[in-house]
Structures are given as structure tokens and as C-alpha cells.
């Protein structure tokens, strides 16, 4: 079995996050995408310590449960002065209500408590494609920048309102989708994935 | 970049375990293999909760550190009555001296303490191939069977002397290498990997 993706083929998107599903659909045109949520698939526990590890785990679980090729994303914000936190816990810091205002306030609180003026941070996006009973392919993209408070902008999702990419002045939450897409961690990961898997 | 391996190409084998290196070299003929140990690469911390996760982590670390395509293996024994333990901790149960007599005795001790007569177990082998600054491909093979005490046979390595594959009478430790290779988890993983990556 060659590991390639053919445009037009059916892909299960192993995410229950509507913001991610929207961005991924825009980046992966030409595929017949169905979400794990629409198929009623359970979300597996994200046990791994890396973005790539969790993307692989989610893609494999969705592929085995659906019998279809599955694509999963695991992404988050790493803050250097917090030792890389929230990292793979980015979604969990938002709590069961998925309230990222709480998560962003927690980043600010910990930075103030830590006393460092270092605001370096980066977004990572790992993508994995798994074939049922078969291989899994993963890639990772990053975008470096700084965190800034208070949060600004109501576009994007997650930690976007506190992240300013290198060389920019606006947060990801203030940028329109096309401007964010031009440089985002997710775009970079998709470029790698397409180069690797789409002929 | 197409994700394929060409016979004759250089591959870093991200293992410091001579038993694994020997088996892998036999299963992957036609490649110019150098071990991570020979290159002086550090062993990364195995932080992941799955075999595939740790294989991916080790392959990526070796690829980034060496600038070469890297192949990593993560494998171990899962015992059903122990909730899948030792699993990804298979090597760690052998302690810093890598003494699998200790690890096998620990499996027996926990089985007796647990009181179950269930001896079902399986070996898993995850393999990952990573390209520097590029994608990683992973597969997983398994072989099911039972654990049996006392350990028998001095061939193989690790938990081989307590594992009897389904339908067999000898432990992996008693079987000659060709008989073990014909059915092993590692053979099954390599068959998948070759089908996926070698044209």
C-alpha cells in the first residue's frame, strides 16, 4: 500500500473543535471530509507528552473506529518562561467549559508569579494521517512570537488573542483569517503534509 | 518530498539495545545502517504512553540530532491481567542494569499477587521512520500468546523466555531466530513498514 492521499477521497477529521475543523477544511480543499463528531466517534484520552504523539494517537483511534483514513490535529501554545506550558495541556487549561479566557488569564497569572519578563512563545501544530490497520504519518509546524496581555481581537480561537507572531503587531485574534493562514503553524504543518502525501 | 526509502540509503538506527539492533539488521537488509550509539547520540526520555508514541519520539530525536533519516523501535510485553503492564515500561522494569530476570520475576510476582489465572499477553513492536525537518511514519505489529513461568530458553532477549506465542509450545527464548522471526511482532511491523515505504 502506497501512503498517499488522493483528492476526492473520504477523510475522517478527528476533531470535535469547530474552530479547528473550519481552519482545516479551508486548508485541505478537494477532500470529502466528515468529522469524528458527525460519525459519533468517542474522543480518546490524550495521554501523550508531545503534540505529534497526541495527533498520532487521535488519528489512529479515529481510523480504527471508523475504518476510514483519518486526519488528526494536536496543537497548542508553548510559553518559554513557563517551561513550555501550557503545551499539550493548552486545551485542558480552558477547563471543561472550553473557556480560553480562563486559560489566557492563567498564562498571565503564572508569568506574573514567575517574575520573568521573557514573553517568547510559539504555537505548534502536529498533524497525523492514519490508515485503518496500517501506517500513520505525522508532521509538525510552528510559528514563533510573543504573548501579550490583555487579550486582543475576537477572530481565531484558543490562545489567538494573546499571541503576536514574530515581526507583527497584531495578535492572531486581530488578524483576518487569510493573514493568519499565510503564516500559521497549521498552514506550515499542512504544507509539509501535502508535500509528503499528496502527489 | 516523497516518503519512501531506497535500498542502499543510510539509516540511523535509534536504539542502544544490541539485541534489537541485531534483529532489525536481519529484517532490514540492503540498507547502510549506523546505530545512534555509534554516532554518540543521546537517548531521549521516553515520555509517551504508547509504543507508537515513543517510537515516533525516538526517531524524530535521532533524525534531528544526526541530520539523517532515522528508524526507531519501541516494543514490549503487555499482560492482560496486569492491565497491559509492563507495556511501555517493559525496559524500565529491568532496572538500570537492564536485567530482565528481575523484570520477568516482577511479572510473576504481580500475577500471583493479583490472583487471576489469566495469562494472556502480547508483544507489540512500533517502528517509526523520521526525516530531518520532515515527516515521520509509524506502524505497529503484535503477536498474541501467554506468559509462562519459570522462564525457559536463552535465545532472544527481554521477556522472550516467558512468552509462548498462540498455537505454540516453546517460549520465544527457546525458539531459534528463524522460527521467532516468522511470527514475531517485529517481523509484522517490518512487513507493514516495507509495504508502506519501500517501493
Amino acid at each position: 500500500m502506497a501512503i498517499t492521499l488522493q483528492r476526492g477521497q473520504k477523510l475522517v477529521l478527528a476533531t470535535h473543535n469547530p474552530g479547528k475543523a473550519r481552519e482545516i477544511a479551508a486548508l485541505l480543499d478537494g477532500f470529502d471530509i466528515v468529522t469524528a463528531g458527525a460519525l459519533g466517534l468517542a474522543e480518546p484520552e490524550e495521554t501523550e507528552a508531545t503534540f505529534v504523539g497526541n495527533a498520532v494517537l487521535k488519528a489512529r483511534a479515529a481510523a480504527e473506529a471508523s475504518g476510514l483514513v483519518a486526519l488528526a490535529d494536536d496543537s497548542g501554545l508553548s510559553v518559554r518562561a513557563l517551561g513550555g506550558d501550557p503545551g499539550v495541556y493548552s486545551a485542558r487549561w480552558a477547563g471543561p467549559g472550553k473557556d480560553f479566557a480562563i486559560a489566557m488569564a492563567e498564562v498571565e497569572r503564572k508569568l506574573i508569579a514567575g517574575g520573568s519578563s521573557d514573553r517568547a512563545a510559539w504555537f505548534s501544530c502536529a498533524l497525523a494521517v492514519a490508515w485503518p490497520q496500517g501506517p500513520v504519518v505525522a508532521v509538525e509546524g510552528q510559528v514563533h512570537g510573543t504573548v501579550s496581555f490583555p487579550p486582543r481581537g475576537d477572530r481565531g480561537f484558543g490562545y489567538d488573542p494573546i499571541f503576536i507572531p514574530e515581526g507583527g503587531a497584531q495578535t492572531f485574534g486581530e488578524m483576518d483569517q487569510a493573514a493568519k493562514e499565510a503564516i500559521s503553524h497549521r498552514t506550515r504543518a499542512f504544507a509539509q503534509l501535502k508535500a509528503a502525501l499528496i502527489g
Side-chain angles (χ1 to χ4, degrees), chain A:
Chain A
M1 190 197 73
I3 43 176
T4 57
L5 293 176
Q6 305 296 332
R7 286 191 196 281
Q9 93 172 63
K10 197 161 191 169
L11 268 185
V12 180
L13 196 56
T15 183
H16 290 69
N17 177 324
K20 278 190 189 176
R22 200 166 51 236
E23 282 203 3
I24 290 171
L27 287 163
L28 200 69
D29 57 315
F31 287 86
D32 179 10
I33 290 176
V34 54
T35 67
L39 293 178
L41 304 184
E43 291 185 85
E45 193 190 347
E46 299 183 14
T47 57
E48 309 294 77
T50 63
F51 295 111
V52 165
N54 281 323
V56 164
L57 182 151
K58 289 188 277 188
R60 293 180 84 215
E64 298 313 333
S66 68
L68 296 166
V69 180
L71 169 68
D73 161 298
D74 197 60
S75 50
L77 179 71
S78 299
V79 179
R80 188 165 64 191
L82 302 182
D85 278 344
V88 294
Y89 301 101
S90 290
R92 279 165 272 191
W93 281 29
K98 302 189 178 180
D99 183 349
F100 282 90
I102 293 172
M104 291 187 284
E106 184 69 359
V107 171
E108 183 176 25
R109 191 190 66 74
K110 285 182 186 263
L111 278 170
I112 291 167
S116 166
S117 61
D118 180 7
R119 292 294 177 266
W122 58 96
F123 270 120
S124 300
C125 172
L127 296 170
V129 176
W131 281 260
Q133 311 281 310
V136 57
V137 176
V139 297
E140 185 169 0
Q142 296 186 331
V143 56
H144 286 260
T146 52
V147 286
S148 168
F149 299 91
R152 300 200 314 260
D154 54 9
R155 288 164 163 163
F157 59 93
Y159 295 85
D160 283 355
I162 60 170
F163 183 79
I164 300 173
E166 253 170 20
Q170 289 186 313
T171 68
F172 266 4
E174 293 173 309
M175 292 165 68
D176 64 36
Q177 188 161 340
K180 178 184 167 190
E181 264 182 25
I183 58 165
S184 84
H185 50 309
R186 190 160 288 111
T187 302
R188 288 170 183 177
F190 266 99
Q192 267 198 59
L193 194 76
K194 287 178 176 179
L197 291 182
I198 304 177

